[in-house]
Amino acid sequence: MAKIAPSLLSADFADLRTEIIKLEKGGADYLHLDVMDGIYVPNITFGAPVIKKIRKVTNIPFDVHLMIDRPERYIKDFVEAGADIITVHQEATVHLHRTIQEIKSHGVLAGVSLNPSTPLEAIEYVLNDIDLILIMTVNPGFGGQSFISQMEGKIKRMRKIIDERNLNIILEVDGGIKLSNARDIIDWGAD
């Protein structure tokens, strides 16, 4: 059964409490929190202090997606703010394995995100260490973009690798997902 992780970016920031309560009532499995720094991606959103405040409002697991340069500097801050899953971009950290180990040392799940042009082979050597792979189906940094159709093959290939190696990895897909394409994305192998 597919799980749903709505992005906080789609919420009314003037009334986050009400928006989060709606998500709880609607059955959201996770709350996807897109943290952007204006360096790794050309947009700025929010950071650990906002996540810490909204943690008090809900028990929905927080899926914290760090679209920030050198995320290893802030892992502890996001754990202390209430993250349940922390996902970093392979391209944003020099020492990916070390960053994954840092995340896991705090008892939270570790994920790695791949931009549309980043090949799956870039994470070959950390597959046994991660809990989640996030396939970006848009170029990160802004909400409301259109799904890049070539990502169908990437999602299918990643699903095949996970299944063939019997890995316990969540396959998450982010970007341009709508009611009109969600069923296809699930059929391609997204969790």
Side-chain angles (χ1 to χ4, degrees):
M1 180 79 171
K3 297 191 183 263
I4 303 294
S7 173
L8 189 68
L9 286 184
S10 300
D12 175 357
F13 275 69
D15 195 6
L16 286 178
R17 179 184 302 272
T18 301
E19 294 282 275
I20 292 168
I21 290 168
K22 284 181 196 174
L23 292 174
E24 283 181 324
K25 290 180 181 176
D29 298 291
Y30 301 98
L31 184 55
H32 188 81
L33 304 170
D34 288 308
V35 177
M36 302 181 205
D37 66 358
I39 298 168
Y40 178 67
V41 295
N43 198 6
I44 298 173
T45 56
F46 50 83
V50 170
I51 292 172
K52 188 173 188 173
K53 290 289 188 187
I54 63 173
R55 176 79 285 166
K56 296 174 185 175
V57 175
T58 185
N59 289 322
I60 295 174
F62 284 0
D63 173 17
V64 178
H65 178 192
L66 299 181
M67 289 180 266
I68 64 176
D69 185 54
R70 297 186 298 149
E72 60 275 8
R73 299 174 295 164
Y74 303 104
I75 301 302
K76 186 177 178 189
D77 295 332
F78 286 102
V79 169
E80 291 175 353
D84 298 288
I85 304 167
I86 296 179
T87 300
V88 299
H89 278 257
Q90 179 274 331
E91 307 88 351
T93 183
V94 174
H95 302 288
L96 180 60
H97 187 265
R98 184 182 299 157
T99 301
I100 292 165
Q101 295 308 312
E102 174 67 16
I103 294 167
K104 293 182 82 114
S105 76
H106 294 284
V108 299
L109 300 180
V112 175
S113 182
L114 296 174
N115 288 337
S117 65
T118 304
L120 298 177
E121 292 76 18
I123 59 170
E124 172 72 27
Y125 297 103
V126 296
L127 288 176
N128 291 323
D129 300 306
I130 58 178
D131 304 294
L132 180 143
I133 295 170
L134 175 56
I135 303 289
M136 293 298 299
T137 52
V138 298
N139 289 299
F142 295 98
Q145 297 181 68
S146 296
F147 183 91
I148 298 171
S149 62
Q150 295 90 331
M151 295 302 99
E152 175 185 350
K154 191 173 191 177
I155 295 165
K156 289 177 176 178
R157 280 186 49 227
M158 191 70 254
R159 173 85 271 151
K160 184 177 179 187
I161 291 168
I162 290 169
D163 292 346
E164 285 178 352
R165 296 184 189 182
N166 198 30
L167 298 168
N168 186 24
I169 295 175
I170 299 164
L171 180 55
E172 185 174 29
V173 178
D174 183 3
I177 299 173
K178 304 176 182 329
L179 290 174
S180 60
N181 64 4
R183 172 52 46 202
D184 288 336
I185 294 166
I186 293 166
D187 291 345
W188 299 337
D191 292 309

